[in-house]
Each structure stands twice: as C-alpha cells, then as structure tokens.
Amino acid sequence: MVHMEDLFTQNERVKTIRNAPLAVRMRPATLDDYVGQEKAVGEGSWLRSAIEHDVLSSVILYGPAGTGKTTLAHIIARRTRSEFVEVSAVTGTVKDLRREIDAAKHRLMQFDRRTILFIDEIHRFSRSQQDALLHAVENRTVVMIGATTENPYFEVNSALISRSRVVELVHLADDDIARLVRRALTAPEGLDGAVGAEDEAVRAICMLAAGDARAALTTLELASEIALGRAAGQGAEITVEDVQVANPRRGFTYDKSGDMHYDIISAFIKSMRGSDPDAAVYWLARMIDAGEDPKFIARRIMIQAAEDIGNADPQALLVAEAAFRAAEVIGYPECRIILAQAAIYNALAPKSNAAEAAVDAALADIQRSGRREVPSHLRDRHRPGSDAYGPYLYPHDYPEGWVDQRYLPEGLERGAFWKPAGRGWEEWRRELTARDRSGRAPQVGSDPRAVAGRAPEAPAGGDPPS
C-alpha cells in the first residue's frame, strides 16, 4: 500500500528537481548507482546489508564534504519502510527534537512504523541537544543517522557514539569522480547529451574536485553553461579553458578547527622529520594557501627543530626562532619565503631526538624512583654544616676545563638518559669530548660537514666547525 504522504513527497520532489543544481539532480537513488566508498558501503559491508534488509540501527556517517553522506541518507529514505524525518543541526532546538521523538513514539505505538531521524552536521548540536537523543536512540524509538565532517569521537557525545555505529567515508578517487562526470553528461536528469567534454577537461574537473563529488558536478554545470554559450547550441564541447573559467581557483578543504587542519600539519611535520624538502614545502603551501596563521606554522617548525633535530644541528632552533619572529612582524605574502627557508632547513638538517628522549627518560625515572638525593659536593654551601660536604672540584681550575666527578645522584650512571643519535654536531661534540677525556683521536668523518658530504675543516681552539 502506498501512503498519500509518500505520493505527495514524490510529486513535490519531481517539481523541485527540475530547477535543482546538477549535483542534486544527479544524486543516485539506489546503492547500485552509488559510486565509490567500497569499504563503507560495498558488497558485504555492514551498512549495505543493513540498508538492503531495512534493519538499520543508529549510525554516524563521518567524512569530508562531497563524499556521499547525505546521498546515503536519501538512499535509505527511498528504500526503507520507515518514516524518514530530517532535523537541522543548525536551526533545530531541543524542543524540535522532543517533538519529533514524541511523534516517532506515537507512530511506533499506533502504526508499528519506525522513524529514521536524519541529522546533518550533527557535530553542531549542543550537548543538551545530543543528550535529548540518548533515550530515544537507546530504546530505538528512533533510528538516528547522523552526518558530520568532524571526527565524531571528539565532537559527538560519547554516550551517543556508544549507541551508534560510526562509518567513515573518504575522498573519492579521480576515477570515481570521472564516472560521475561522464554519467552527468549523458543522463536525462543531468545534461542529457546537450554538451560533450574533452578528456583533458574531465581530468581537470577531477583534479580541481580533490575527491569532492559535489564540487566536481558544480564545476561541470558551470563549464557546460560557458561551452553552450560559446557554441550557441551547435556541438558544444567543454574544454580545459572552460573548466578554468568556471573554477579559476578552488581552495582545498581546510577547516582550521577540523581534521584536515590536523592532517596537513601532521604531514608537514612528518615530511620535515623524514628529510623530504619537497613534501615539506608542499604541505607548507597547502597551509599558506588556506590562510593559516604564519605564527602557528612557525611554532610547529620551532617544536620540530628541537624534537627531531636537536643538537644534531643546534642552529635549526635558531633558524626556526628567527622565522617565528619574522612571522610576527612581516606577515603574508613575504612571510611565505621565510617559512619555506626554515622548513627546508629543518628537512635537510641531520636528525636526532636524543634531547626529547633524554628528558622523557629522566621524567620517567623521577616518577618511578622518586627524588634521588643531590650529591653532597653539589649542594648549596650557604647553610650551617656545609663544611662537612665533600669537596666540589671547579672545572675551570683544570687545563681542559673539565674534571671527573659525579654529577648524577647515586644509582644513576652516565648514559642513563642521553643517548646521542650518532649524527651531526651532537656526534662531533661527543667524540671530541671523548678524545679530550681519554686522549684518543675522534673518528674520521665525525665533523658534521663531513656527514653532510663536504670536506671537514680543522676547528680552531676546539670550537665546533661553523
């Protein structure tokens, strides 16, 4: 039996779709037409099985814009025997939610008809709004479908997550975007063959879309209008130039409080750590292009200089600190050059995490062993009874500026915490110190410039090479 409400909704949809954007007109109505997301909704997946058998439990669809979250919700709406209700996370209130939950309870009791409640951008719901859903979701008064571009484990109430299943969607591959574009060119609900597209134009649309299906179809629609206007309806063909005019510059998705922000800064740091200057500059450019605060970028470069380079090249921290000071007073666009210089320096510098590892090991020992006693000869002498302390040997009284005495508490020996990486200035100083203390010559190639592939120069007066 077909309900009058279903007929009304269908007729309304037909009228609305005529003037809808191409991305809306091309929204697939079935799972067979749904492109990509094989892991999330492919054959054998939990979500596909739940949709096909109409046994869906509450689910949170998580992924970037244009990956098909809302489309999946509409596919469910068409397949299910349940009532499908949508609530706006932007304009909806707790009162609205309670009204829909009460209606769902009435539907279930009177007609044995379930309600699927779709909430787009569920991360925008306040805590009180999310809490209002808990009991209804737990008792299955409603089956909730939440969609979000933000990591739900950070942005959604943990109690709500525990009552739902999180399904992650990812950016579409270029091949998937190309399928959607070519389908839209010929489909009756799309451009219906009114315009063609060069292969290069399709590739350009895919590249600009960066995995976002909605963006690809929007660009295609605008480019088709340009091509049709130019050809006056005679064999219109979309060119790369049409695509560029339709979308001269599309900023990549980058929400400064969202996952993409953290993914890109993570890739930037890991590229410097991995000694890849090209990758470091690319991720830096992504942040600059998105308008990221240059001081934020410079702070990350400073942290990386200490964490991953350390004393293998102590100058890296000075370069990073100078970049931060410059970012404070210069700003874009010139600031981009300074940030690039610092990022490339970090990428090329020899790497050592010995400083970070040393302080973390010392902290672990303190938390495990408590406070060890300060050796008596190192204690402050401005107190009664200090005459009984052992003698402190003043290093400057000795020819090498060093004398062998205990500085660590009892129970700890040299090498307990600091373990040099064997690279750069740090290793050169370690070997030079060992030579001074034992009379042995340092190994060949211990000068950091030799490590970098340049001929070492003899240091004057025991100073490290510059």
Side-chain angles (χ1 to χ4, degrees):
M1 178 179 178
V2 179
H3 294 273
M4 291 301 296
E5 184 180 6
D6 296 331
L7 287 173
F8 176 79
T9 303
Q10 184 178 358
N11 291 334
E12 186 182 58
R13 180 176 177 273
V14 169
K15 292 177 182 178
T16 303
I17 207 77
R18 291 172 186 163
N19 295 312
L22 180 62
V24 174
R25 302 202 307 271
M26 288 305 301
R27 182 170 281 159
T30 67
L31 287 174
D32 291 336
D33 292 334
Y34 191 78
V35 173
Q37 308 301 349
E38 287 299 316
K39 183 177 179 181
V41 75
E43 292 291 343
S45 67
W46 167 82
L47 183 55
R48 188 184 190 97
S49 178
I51 294 171
E52 289 178 339
H53 295 93
D54 197 16
V55 291
L56 189 70
S57 58
S58 291
V59 62
I60 296 175
L61 304 174
Y62 159 49
T67 51
K69 300 183 296 296
T70 303
T71 295
L72 269 179
H74 282 271
I75 288 173
I76 293 168
R78 294 187 184 100
R79 282 196 62 103
T80 185
R81 293 182 296 274
S82 305
E83 189 76 15
F84 191 89
V85 177
E86 184 170 356
V87 173
S88 170
V90 178
T91 60
T93 64
V94 172
K95 184 179 179 181
D96 295 330
L97 275 178
R98 287 177 177 158
R99 184 181 63 248
E100 294 297 345
I101 290 169
D102 288 341
K105 190 180 299 182
H106 176 76
R107 229 175 265 124
L108 190 62
M109 295 296 102
Q110 295 295 319
F111 307 108
D112 195 25
R113 184 172 170 84
R114 294 185 308 157
T115 299
I116 292 179
L117 181 65
F118 176 58
I119 306 169
D120 200 8
E121 298 187 274
I122 192 172
H123 61 276
R124 291 177 178 256
F125 261 177
S126 65
R127 288 293 173 182
S128 61
Q129 288 171 306
Q130 292 183 31
D131 288 342
L133 283 168
L134 287 178
H135 190 66
V137 169
E138 185 172 31
N139 292 340
R140 292 207 178 178
T141 303
V142 298
V143 174
M144 181 196 70
I145 301 177
T148 176
T149 56
E150 304 297 327
N151 191 326
Y153 294 103
F154 297 139
E155 301 296 336
V156 177
N157 188 322
S158 59
L160 196 56
I161 287 180
S162 70
R163 292 161 173 80
S164 310
R165 185 153 180 170
V166 176
V167 174
E168 184 174 1
L169 306 184
V170 297
H171 283 296
L172 297 179
D174 283 354
D175 286 346
D176 293 331
I177 297 290
R179 281 179 60 195
L180 292 173
V181 169
R182 296 192 186 282
R183 179 190 294 172
L185 285 166
T186 58
E189 65 271 26
L191 299 176
D192 199 17
V195 63
E198 299 175 352
D199 288 343
E200 286 297 319
V202 173
R203 280 194 286 271
I205 291 172
C206 295
M207 182 185 68
L208 287 169
D212 185 329
R214 188 184 301 111
L217 293 174
T218 299
T219 299
L220 174 64
E221 185 171 25
L222 295 174
S224 69
E225 292 169 359
I226 294 169
L228 286 167
R230 182 185 62 251
Q234 301 296 317
E237 187 87 359
I238 297 172
T239 66
V240 173
E241 290 71 23
D242 296 331
V243 173
Q244 292 171 342
V245 172
N247 193 348
R249 181 186 179 279
R250 178 179 181 270
F252 288 102
T253 303
Y254 187 92
D255 180 348
K256 293 182 186 179
S257 63
D259 288 341
M260 184 63 72
H261 162 82
Y262 294 105
D263 286 346
I264 288 179
I265 193 64
S266 175
F268 175 57
I269 292 167
K270 288 170 182 171
S271 297
M272 290 188 292
R273 179 185 297 143
S275 302
D276 189 329
D278 293 297
V281 168
Y282 173 79
W283 297 118
L284 170 65
R286 285 284 296 272
M287 290 186 286
I288 293 172
D289 179 71
E292 182 61 81
D293 182 355
K295 295 192 293 296
F296 171 82
I297 299 173
R299 281 195 294 270
R300 303 313 303 179
I301 295 174
M302 287 179 70
I303 293 167
Q304 199 266 341
E307 180 180 352
D308 294 309
I309 298 170
N311 287 321
D313 185 351
Q315 188 161 310
L317 186 58
L318 301 180
V319 171
E321 198 270 343
F324 179 81
R325 296 301 171 197
E328 285 187 310
V329 298
I330 294 177
Y332 293 134
E334 290 83 358
C335 181
R336 78 192 191 284
I337 306 168
I338 298 163
L339 294 173
Q341 179 183 348
I344 291 170
Y345 190 101
N346 275 16
L348 295 176
K351 304 299 190 291
S352 170
N353 69 343
E356 180 196 22
V359 69
D360 286 350
L363 286 168
D365 178 81
I366 291 167
Q367 292 162 7
R368 181 176 60 251
S369 305
R371 292 184 299 171
R372 299 177 186 267
E373 292 295 327
V374 177
S376 61
H377 60 280
L378 299 182
R379 294 178 186 174
D380 179 64
R381 301 280 171 164
H382 297 89
R383 63 163 64 97
S386 61
D387 292 343
Y389 294 167
Y392 167 64
L393 306 181
Y394 189 54
H396 295 291
D397 288 342
Y398 295 83
E400 298 296 333
W402 174 83
V403 61
D404 190 11
Q405 67 181 329
R406 170 172 283 277
Y407 293 97
L408 283 165
E410 290 294 335
L412 293 173
E413 302 300 329
R414 284 189 191 133
F417 307 123
W418 181 63
K419 303 182 189 302
R423 291 180 288 276
W425 184 90
E426 184 175 55
E427 178 65 9
W428 181 84
R429 282 302 307 168
R430 187 194 68 77
E431 292 191 357
L432 187 64
T433 300
R435 183 197 66 183
D436 290 345
R437 294 178 182 179
S438 67
R440 294 193 301 271
Q443 297 177 5
V444 175
S446 60
D447 186 289
R449 287 168 300 180
V451 173
R454 297 186 293 274
E457 300 171 8
D463 290 333
S466 57

